[in-house]
């Protein structure tokens, strides 16, 4: 049984999926996961904004006027807490609060159990999970706040589906979420199938609970899956649109699971046109970091830092103030960048499209 749990990302020190009414899904207390020193007021606000049970969004950090939103999405049979928790108790979404104090940080949970060892498996399909994620994040974020997703395994496909839905949606809030999405970090996401699906079916048959298994989710992960191929094709075609600026980085597992092999091999976990790096861990442990000095944590944080720095540079350029320059004869010149967000700029009988620099002269 311990080997089965290990395959799907449950360790002996963290609970596997349980009945939604059971407390086993959530660490003993919030304070054991959230770093010591957090104010009781901040903790209370986060608890109010979080959903009860294992599904939906859990708010880890909610600063006033956040400048960034980071959303964690777990993988197959994962959990919005335990997927990101090391055996020593370190919960790295909380560690990010020190590196990004102005970031709103949340973890998203959904029913992705392959085998319902503790309860009935859900019947949601990939599209349903993507839709749930889209609306949940849109409800918790501002259209002007950049959003970065960090997704493990199946969670990466859920994020892709969510972005496709928000891109095509007629709803203003969902379109705004798509426009605000700055990047996606994929961790062991099967972009071209995964042997994990085969293992899920094998274990399900062995436990004689196959009828309680979410077959749609398993089918998506099978190599050459038509659903997976369609999602991947649509997602990568979307990224080719020159008007879409979403950063992408892929991490892949460097170590094999004992007696099993690599769950998502490098060739499946990367997107060739985007940068990638290995994490020296197996598929289950690649999302569990012991602390801020853990090599895996340092690698992921390095990518986040680069993206945040670029966002700040763009923001400072857009916010460059218009300068008033006195001119001989009493007139004045106003010089600076005019950001029209791609719309037209009208100046008397002149107009221009896009963002331009102009000098406006006039009498005092």
């Amino acid at each position: 049984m311990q080997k089965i749990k290990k395959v799907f990302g449950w360790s002996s020190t963290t609970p596997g999926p349980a009945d939604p009414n059971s407390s086993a899904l959530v660490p003993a207390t919030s304070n054991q996961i959230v770093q010591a020193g957090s104010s009781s007021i901040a903790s209370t606000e986060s608890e109010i904004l979080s959903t009860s049970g294992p599904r939906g969004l859990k708010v880890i950090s909610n600063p006033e006027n956040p400048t960034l939103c980071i959303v964690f999405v777990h993988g197959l049979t994962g959990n919005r807490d335990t997927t990101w928790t090391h055996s020593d108790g370190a919960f790295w979404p909380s560690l990010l609060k020190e590196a990004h104090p102005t970031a709103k940080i949340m973890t998203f949970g959904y029913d992705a159990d392959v085998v319902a060892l503790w309860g009935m498996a859900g019947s949601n399909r990939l599209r349903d999970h993507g839709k749930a994620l889209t609306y949940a994040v849109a409800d918790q974020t501002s259209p002007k706040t950049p959003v970065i997703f960090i997704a493990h395994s199946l969670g990466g496909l859920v994020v892709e589906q969510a972005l496709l839905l928000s891109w095509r949606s007629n709803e203003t809030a969902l379109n705004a979420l798509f426009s605000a999405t700055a990047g996606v970090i994929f961790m062991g996401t099967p972009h071209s199938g995964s042997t994990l699906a085969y293992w899920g079916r094998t274990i399900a048959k062995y436990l004689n609970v196959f009828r309680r298994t979410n077959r749609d989710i398993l089918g998506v992960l099978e190599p050459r899956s038509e659903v997976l191929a369609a999602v991947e094709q649509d997602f990568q075609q979307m990224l080719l649109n020159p008007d879409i600026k979403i950063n992408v980085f892929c991490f892949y597992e460097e170590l094999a699971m004992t007696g099993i092999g690599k769950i998502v091999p490098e060739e499946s976990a990367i997107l060739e046109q985007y940068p990638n790096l290995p994490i020296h861990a197996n598929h289950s442990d690649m999302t569990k970091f012991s602390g801020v000095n853990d090599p895996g944590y340092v690698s992921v944080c390095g990518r986040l830092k680069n993206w945040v720095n670029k966002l700040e540079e763009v923001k400072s350029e857009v916010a460059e103030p218009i300068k008033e320059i006195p001119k001989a004869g009493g007139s004045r010149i106003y010089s600076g960048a005019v950001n029209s967000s791609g719309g037209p700029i009208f100046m008397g009988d002149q107009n221009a499209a896009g963002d331009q620099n102009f000098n406006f002269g006039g009498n005092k």
Side-chain angles (χ1 to χ4, degrees), residues 87-348:
S87 58
D88 65 6
F91 181 63
W92 67 280
S94 284
L95 299 180
L96 281 180
K97 291 193 296 185
E98 295 296 325
H100 302 283
T102 61
K104 183 172 186 176
I105 302 172
M106 301 180 287
T107 61
F108 179 74
Y110 60 99
D111 182 6
D113 296 345
V114 178
V115 181
L117 298 177
W118 287 270
M120 291 295 291
S123 60
N124 286 345
R125 300 187 179 188
L126 185 64
R127 181 180 177 83
D128 297 326
H129 293 320
K131 187 185 298 184
L133 175 62
T134 303
Y135 278 95
V137 176
D139 289 344
Q140 289 270 13
T141 56
S142 165
K144 296 182 180 180
T145 304
V147 178
I148 293 176
F149 291 95
I150 299 177
H152 177 232
S153 192
L154 175 69
L157 304 183
V158 173
V159 170
E160 290 180 2
Q161 185 68 80
L163 292 177
L164 287 169
L165 288 169
S166 60
W167 180 45
R168 296 165 175 167
S169 176
N170 293 323
E171 293 191 44
T172 302
L174 301 190
N175 286 153
L177 171 61
F178 179 80
S179 298
T181 301
V184 183
I185 291 179
F186 293 108
M187 304 183 72
T189 293
H191 295 291
S192 60
S194 171
T195 55
L196 191 56
Y198 293 134
W199 274 95
R201 292 186 183 280
T202 300
I203 293 173
K205 291 178 180 178
Y206 175 76
L207 295 177
N208 196 30
V209 291
F210 183 79
R211 61 185 176 82
R212 303 169 67 189
T213 302
N214 190 330
R215 305 187 189 190
D216 289 326
I217 293 296
L218 288 174
V220 167
L221 287 179
E222 289 183 346
R224 296 178 301 279
S225 162
E226 293 182 4
V227 176
L228 173 59
V231 172
E232 279 300 317
Q233 181 178 358
D234 289 351
F235 180 72
Q236 294 185 45
Q237 284 294 323
M238 180 192 74
L239 292 178
L240 292 176
N241 188 319
D243 295 328
I244 295 176
K245 308 295 183 183
I246 296 179
N247 294 291
V248 172
F249 200 97
C250 300
F251 285 98
Y252 57 92
E253 61 214 61
E254 197 169 26
L255 302 181
M257 302 289 293
T258 303
I260 301 172
K262 293 183 178 180
I263 303 301
V264 183
E266 177 183 350
E267 59 269 21
S268 178
I270 66 172
L271 294 170
E272 292 185 359
Q273 66 271 40
Y274 295 100
N276 59 79
L277 277 175
I279 289 182
H280 192 69
N282 59 37
H283 187 73
S284 172
D285 294 338
M286 70 184 302
T287 59
K288 300 173 175 63
F289 305 135
S290 59
V292 295
N293 295 320
D294 188 297
Y297 178 83
V298 172
S299 291
V300 176
C301 283
R303 310 292 72 74
L304 280 174
K305 181 180 178 180
N306 289 342
W307 290 355
V308 171
N309 287 342
K310 290 180 180 178
L311 288 171
E312 291 177 348
E313 289 175 4
V314 171
K315 184 177 180 179
S316 63
E317 291 174 0
V318 172
E320 180 182 346
I322 296 177
K323 301 175 182 178
E324 181 179 338
I325 306 172
K327 184 181 178 182
S331 63
R332 297 176 184 276
I333 296 176
Y334 297 91
S335 177
V338 178
N339 180 10
S340 66
S341 299
I345 300 172
F346 300 96
M347 304 174 296

